[in-house]
Amino acid sequence: MQTQKVTFCRICEAHCGLVATVEDDRLLQLRPDPEHPLSRGFTCPKGIAMADVQNDPDRVLHPLRRTASGDFEQVSWDEALDDIATRLARVYDDHGGRSIGWYFGNPTAFSYSHVLWLQGLIMALGLEHVYSAGSQDVNNRFVASTLLYGHAASVPVPDLARTDLLLMIGANPVVSHGSLVSAPRMKEDLRAITARGGRVVVVDPRRTETAALFEHVPVRPDGDAWLLLSLLHVIFAEGLADEAAIRAQSTGVDALRDAAASYSPEMTASRTGLEPDEVRQLARDLATAGSAAVYGRTGSCLGNHGTLVSYLMDALALVTGNLDREGGNLFGRNPLPLERVGELAGVLSYDRRRSRVGGFPDILGTWPAAVMAKEIRQPGAGQLRALFVSAGNPVLSVPNGPELASALGELDLLVSLDLYVNETNKHADYVLPTTTWLEREDVPVASLSLYTVPFIHFTEATVAPYGEARPEWRIIDDLCDRMGITPFAPTRLLSPGPVPATVGRAAGRALTAVRRRLPRLTPERVLDLALRAGSVGRGVPRLTLARLRRHPHGLVLGTGLSGGRLGEVAKGGRVRLDAPVILEELSRLGAARGADEEFPLQLIGLRELRSHNSWMHNAPTLMKGRNRRHGMRINPKDAADAGVAEGQPCRVRSAYGEIEVPAMLTDEVREGTIAIPHGWGHQGGWTTANRAGGANVNLLASTDPDDLEKLAGMAVLNGIPVRVSPA
């Protein structure tokens, strides 16, 4: 008998509503949910194609163990977990928690239970080697928020419903559907701005799908910091700044004013590639608009100065009077006390400790994934010896994948929790099968403060786990049981003597024995407690899990965001505009090198509508079509200069590596720029993805600590100097 079950997508931050058709606990189909209050019958192709992933014959459904020949054999959960626990305990006893690491990919952010129990393990073992896909994505946004507001989680979102002018830098929400802002019908929201007489201005080296619909400012790759400083220069020099807002909301504006004074549009023209008059007019338009919002995403994050760019975007909103103001950039309210608990637990940290390699500050408890291989190979105290990878594929997503793949073989233990045998975990000792998001309950915890309309959504599991798949939290919990440790209970606090590992684990076993006699702590229990302790604002009944269950399509918590919250989200109620590390970064910006004759073009990334990082290229629905191929977008003039033609295989070389891709001639990229999508070049255990071919564009990027973005340790994936020639 077929049934219809309501759920929501957990591929990106839009979280569109879905309806699943299920028969005999098997998923037959996914379709948009017309009753979802925000997405209202919309979802993108990736959400529908999740049915392919759910039913994929290549999916891992049983625990796998590597054999002596390098193949995998199926084993039982008890065999796998017993051996993993024994080997992990040996590493812990010999070298301590500082020698154990965990890498988690983007899907982790869309599973509250995964994140919660991973944090429990980190606290229990005292892990320091924690890495995430954030260092190839968004970490510098959290650094900028820490420097500006004193809180990493204070991230303003554009007030799409009321703004008169939206300035987007390096964002393509028509394809990505928005990130660090949750607005399921983003394309419709953007069109509504222009329909009411407003403007949408897209700053990007490529005429993206979003830029093609609105106004396009074709900045040079990695020129965003110079452009933003020039906009501030004009606003200050022409007396266009909102001095009342500056006095009320900030400290240290004189340092920013002095810094911007050196960056006139004429001075920065060679960096931005823009006419000075165009930059001046944009600055005037921003300052004089009835309201204006500034928004940036990965295109603005992945250059050499991504933290500075995020910092300057918020500063631009502030000095034009548009920060914490309706129609500008607003701060959402999380109905869960995540920020409060995160601060107390030390999770929302910045620069609490430094990596051994490169001396990079931690960001939300994580270090740059680009140094992971070097942390495995560099001997000494704290050397990375055992690694877990969950919902991630760093061999494809981190620069210099071959370096990491080689280093993984030197670990004492490598364990993966995933849906597939991918390019990373094909090197693992064990691959443990995890549930898809259709097989677990969930709340979009990480996005609750980023909705443009206050909203919360709980979903039950749509189908039972296929095969022997288990949710990540349960795998972690079972592993802790076997090791005699308790999630969230720091082992080192139980063992303050000179032999913390042995004494601590003995104490942990005693605590575990007590825990087994008590009702099992589960993520749902924690979630219900957090809901009851949270705040939803005036006039809204307190949330409970039972109440959310009564609203399967989600629950709207307000009509829109409001201003006047800066006093709650910024320490001391003011924005700091003169952080010393930002002033140091400005000095590095002034010393940045110019054009490189050996590598005359600049590479930027590219997100495709039917790709999602590196894990959805095995879905036939997304990979069908004659033109579904990997390629390099290049301007016809640059192609002629390089001697390459449409469809011709090309060699793309940087100072760090080279790849081969076919040329796709188009004027959507400005001269001097090439664009190549990431996430391709599969060589794992997935049939369709391997057959698709393509190349791993991150082979052109560097893992040298001197080449990483300084303040956040971000991999530099935009603005890479390259040379193109016929293959």
Side-chain angles (χ1 to χ4, degrees):
M1 177 180 173
Q2 291 187 7
T3 59
Q4 308 295 314
K5 296 188 177 182
V6 176
T7 186
F8 62 88
C9 183
R10 275 146 283 168
I11 291 174
C12 79
E13 291 156 79
H15 298 300
C16 300
L18 294 170
V19 178
T21 302
V22 178
E23 184 174 39
D24 297 329
D25 234 358
R26 302 290 293 184
L27 178 70
L28 299 182
Q29 181 189 48
L30 289 168
R31 60 181 174 84
D33 176 13
E35 297 182 58
H36 190 279
L38 302 187
S39 60
R40 304 190 309 278
F42 170 80
T43 191
C44 80
K46 294 186 285 290
I48 300 300
M50 188 62 195
D52 290 354
V53 176
Q54 179 67 34
N55 299 317
D56 195 335
D58 288 339
R59 187 180 158 194
V60 176
L61 295 176
H62 307 279
L64 300 177
R65 177 174 60 197
R66 174 174 297 285
T67 65
S69 66
D71 296 323
F72 285 103
E73 63 180 358
Q74 182 178 328
V75 295
S76 70
W77 271 108
D78 283 340
E79 285 179 281
L81 290 175
D82 286 347
D83 187 40
I84 292 168
T86 298
R87 293 169 66 177
L88 187 63
R90 188 181 307 128
V91 172
Y92 183 77
D93 288 343
D94 290 345
H95 306 286
R98 292 182 61 203
S99 66
I100 301 168
W102 197 293
Y103 176 96
F104 57 93
N106 278 342
T108 306
F110 302 98
S111 170
Y112 86 99
S113 57
H114 187 168
V115 172
L116 187 60
W117 250 247
L118 172 54
Q119 186 57 38
L121 181 69
I122 291 169
M123 293 173 67
L125 291 179
L127 301 190
E128 293 187 357
H129 283 289
V130 184
Y131 306 92
S132 81
S135 55
Q136 295 88 251
D137 186 351
V138 71
N139 277 359
N140 44 28
R141 172 63 259 187
F142 302 126
V143 176
S145 289
T146 302
L147 299 175
L148 286 160
Y149 312 112
H151 300 287
S154 296
V155 178
V157 299
D159 188 4
L160 301 176
R162 290 172 288 198
T163 194
D164 296 315
L165 196 163
L166 175 63
L167 177 65
M168 289 197 292
I169 300 175
N172 187 15
V174 167
V175 167
S176 68
H177 309 295
S179 177
L180 289 182
V181 58
S182 292
R185 298 186 71 96
M186 176 70 90
K187 184 176 179 180
E188 183 179 293
D189 291 337
L190 298 181
R191 287 190 182 277
I193 295 173
T194 57
R196 60 178 180 260
R199 296 170 60 195
V200 176
V201 180
V202 182
V203 176
D204 203 291
R206 172 175 164 255
R207 190 175 65 252
T208 63
E209 291 81 354
T210 305
L213 296 177
F214 303 103
E215 300 176 45
H216 181 210
V217 178
V219 70
R220 285 191 64 192
D222 208 18
D224 302 325
W226 283 271
L227 173 59
L228 289 164
L229 283 163
S230 283
L231 294 174
L232 288 165
H233 171 97
V234 174
I235 289 168
F236 285 131
E238 297 188 3
L240 299 173
D242 188 329
E243 298 294 346
I246 292 171
R247 286 192 299 273
Q249 294 182 323
S250 71
T251 62
V253 70
D254 288 342
L256 181 65
R257 199 188 306 265
D258 291 345
S262 302
Y263 290 90
S264 70
E266 290 76 15
M267 178 269 183
T268 63
S270 63
R271 295 288 189 172
T272 65
L274 302 174
E275 292 295 328
D277 287 347
E278 180 182 10
V279 175
R280 290 183 181 280
Q281 190 57 52
L282 179 57
R284 294 163 185 153
D285 292 346
L286 273 168
T288 59
S291 62
V294 186
Y295 168 66
R297 266 312 283 120
T298 51
S300 66
C301 288
L302 298 178
N304 285 282
H305 305 280
T307 303
L308 177 62
V309 170
S310 292
Y311 193 95
L312 292 174
M313 284 192 291
D314 286 16
L316 183 60
L318 189 153
V319 301
T320 56
N322 287 295
L323 184 68
D324 196 32
R325 174 194 172 199
E326 292 177 9
N329 291 79
L330 298 172
F331 296 93
R333 186 187 302 274
N334 197 320
L336 296 171
L338 291 188
E339 288 82 2
R340 192 163 69 248
V341 173
E343 292 280 352
L344 290 173
V347 176
L348 301 179
S349 61
Y350 175 60
D351 204 9
R352 183 180 54 187
R353 50 191 177 79
R354 295 247 164 179
S355 61
R356 294 188 316 144
V357 175
F360 289 101
D362 79 289
I363 300 161
L364 307 186
T366 69
W367 282 332
V371 303
M372 198 157 46
K374 295 175 176 61
E375 289 282 4
I376 294 171
R377 286 181 160 152
Q378 180 167 300
Q383 181 179 5
L384 179 55
R385 298 174 182 270
L387 178 67
F388 288 76
V389 178
S390 61
N393 192 4
V395 165
L396 272 191
S397 61
V398 171
N400 199 352
E403 176 193 37
L404 179 58
S406 174
L408 293 176
E410 301 173 22
L411 290 165
D412 295 339
L413 177 66
L414 175 61
V415 179
S416 169
L417 289 68
D418 215 307
L419 307 176
Y420 294 100
V421 174
N422 61 32
E423 289 70 28
T424 299
N425 60 34
K426 70 180 184 180
H427 305 283
D429 297 298
Y430 286 92
V431 179
L432 305 179
T434 57
T435 53
T436 69
W437 45 260
L438 290 159
E439 297 167 341
R440 66 170 185 261
E441 91 288 344
D442 227 335
V443 167
V445 167
S447 299
L448 291 176
S449 63
L450 302 175
Y451 277 102
T452 56
V453 174
F455 184 74
I456 191 169
H457 198 173
F458 175 82
T459 181
E460 303 283 6
T462 304
V463 293
Y466 285 14
E468 294 184 274
R470 294 182 179 180
E472 291 89 351
W473 79 267
R474 185 181 161 196
I475 297 171
I476 294 170
D477 206 62
D478 287 344
L479 185 62
C480 287
D481 267 354
R482 283 168 167 81
M483 289 187 66
I485 61 176
T486 298
F488 308 102
T491 300
R492 56 189 167 189
L493 295 184
L494 299 169
S495 55
V499 283
T502 53
V503 175
R505 289 210 304 116
R509 280 191 291 271
L511 188 58
T512 298
V514 173
R515 181 167 73 106
R516 286 172 176 164
R517 296 188 181 96
L518 299 173
R520 188 180 186 117
L521 182 66
T522 66
E524 280 195 49
R525 290 177 184 269
V526 176
L527 174 62
D528 192 42
L529 290 171
L531 287 167
R532 294 171 186 272
S535 172
V536 289
R538 295 179 181 177
V540 181
R542 186 171 296 278
L543 296 176
T544 65
L545 197 51
R547 184 177 175 218
L548 293 186
R549 282 192 165 107
R550 293 194 296 270
H551 295 82
H553 301 281
L555 192 60
V556 175
L557 302 176
T559 56
L561 303 182
S562 58
R565 296 203 61 236
L566 190 61
E568 302 172 49
V569 301
K571 285 186 177 177
R574 290 174 177 263
V575 182
R576 183 175 187 181
L577 296 177
D578 61 350
V581 293
I582 288 295
L583 300 182
E584 292 173 18
E585 185 71 359
L586 284 166
S587 67
R588 281 193 288 268
L589 182 70
R593 292 182 301 174
D596 188 327
E597 290 185 5
E598 184 181 359
F599 301 106
L601 304 176
Q602 287 181 288
L603 168 72
I604 62 170
L606 166 66
R607 186 174 292 280
E608 301 170 296
L609 182 62
R610 290 192 288 156
S611 290
H612 192 71
N613 299 332
S614 67
W615 69 278
M616 294 198 79
H617 285 140
N618 214 52
T621 300
L622 298 177
M623 299 304 292
K624 64 186 178 182
R626 216 170 27 149
N627 296 321
R628 191 72 177 103
R629 62 192 175 99
H630 196 218
M632 169 190 67
R633 279 71 167 173
I634 183 170
N635 188 278
K637 182 182 183 303
D638 293 325
D641 291 344
V644 300
E646 174 67 30
Q648 180 179 357
C650 296
R651 178 187 183 214
V652 184
R653 182 171 61 90
S654 74
Y656 317 109
E658 64 179 65
I659 60 172
E660 186 175 309
V661 288
M664 302 170 66
L665 275 60
T666 174
D667 65 357
E668 73 180 32
V669 289
R670 60 169 291 147
E671 291 180 22
T673 302
I674 64 169
I676 303 177
H678 65 280
W680 291 70
H682 293 282
Q683 298 175 1
W686 27 26
T687 308
T688 301
N690 291 344
R691 194 165 52 234
N696 180 6
V697 69
N698 288 350
L699 294 176
L700 300 172
S702 173
T703 59
D704 187 323
D706 289 338
D707 293 327
L708 303 183
E709 195 259 0
K710 302 303 178 187
L711 298 184
M714 294 276 289
V716 176
L717 302 175
N718 274 337
I720 299 173
V722 295
R723 175 174 290 275
V724 172
S725 60

